[in-house]
Amino acid sequence: MNHIILIGFMGCGKTSVGQRLAHACGLPFVDMDDVIRKEAGMEITEIFDRYGERYFRKLETEVLKKLSQSQERMIISAGGGMAVEPENQPILAKMGTVVLLEASVDTLMTRLKNDNTRPMLQGGELRTKIETLQAKRKSIYESVCDVRIVTDGKDFSQIVDEIRSIEKSKQP
Ligand code: S3P
């Protein structure tokens, strides 16, 4: 398929960019965390609290598998841990263009400092949490993506334009 899948660390702008990109391209938008929330009938924090991270990852993989069956082209925004799971990577590779949105720790700090919806960042000092998790994930994100977009200092419309022009340049 030729979906566009946005990946990257929490707070890098996947959902905001995805919604705008979908609107600009006239394509449906799917936020994987939203699908998980709806299917589980509870918030992500509650899933983590009640059943733990591994259970959440199973739900995430199930959602990815379902989306990979769709014949309709879509813009998909993934949760920050989705692309890190080895089981998801071969599925992702067949789904279309994987776009990595990159953001510096300072940018992420600004976006995440008042957030309490992300269980992976709860407890402890936020900057340390971000740095540690990002260090673990960075090379994985880079290895699974087709395109890297630096988002620091750019507004969402600039990022959307960048992705669209890359997509256009790939067309025959
Ligand atoms: C997670 C990122 C979250 C959500 C869950 C786990 C992660 O999505 O899937 O809290 O492991 O990075 P966002 O990246 O949209 O915040």
Side-chain angles (χ1 to χ4, degrees), residues 105-125:
V105 175
D106 284 340
T107 303
L108 295 175
M109 278 293 290
T110 311
R111 297 199 187 134
L112 295 167
K113 64 178 180 240
N114 295 319
D115 183 89
N116 59 3
T117 65
R118 288 163 166 109
M120 299 298 290
L121 298 176
Q122 298 312 300
E125 209 258 319

Side-chain angles (χ1 to χ4, degrees), residues 94-154:
K94 289 190 195 132
M95 285 177 69
T97 306
V98 180
V99 177
L100 169 62
L101 301 185
E102 296 181 308
S104 67
V105 175
D106 284 340
T107 303
L108 295 175
M109 278 293 290
T110 311
R111 297 199 187 134
L112 295 167
K113 64 178 180 240
N114 295 319
D115 183 89
N116 59 3
T117 65
R118 288 163 166 109
M120 299 298 290
L121 298 176
Q122 298 312 300
E125 209 258 319
L126 182 61
R127 180 174 285 272
T128 314
K129 285 249 162 191
I130 295 174
E131 281 171 351
T132 311
L133 196 54
Q134 212 190 29
K136 277 193 203 151
R137 292 179 169 180
K138 194 175 185 303
S139 62
I140 306 175
Y141 286 150
E142 289 170 4
S143 70
V144 300
C145 76
D146 301 300
V147 177
R148 289 166 66 171
I149 309 267
V150 175
T151 64
D152 300 291
K154 294 177 189 164

Side-chain angles (χ1 to χ4, degrees), residues 8-11 14-15 33 44 48 53 56-57 60 78-81 117-120 133 137 141:
F9 203 81
M10 291 166 271
K14 298 172 299 260
T15 303
D33 282 347
I44 306 290
F48 271 74
E53 183 186 353
F56 173 80
R57 298 296 169 206
E60 196 171 44
T117 65
R118 288 163 166 109
M120 299 298 290
L133 196 54
R137 292 179 169 180
Y141 286 150

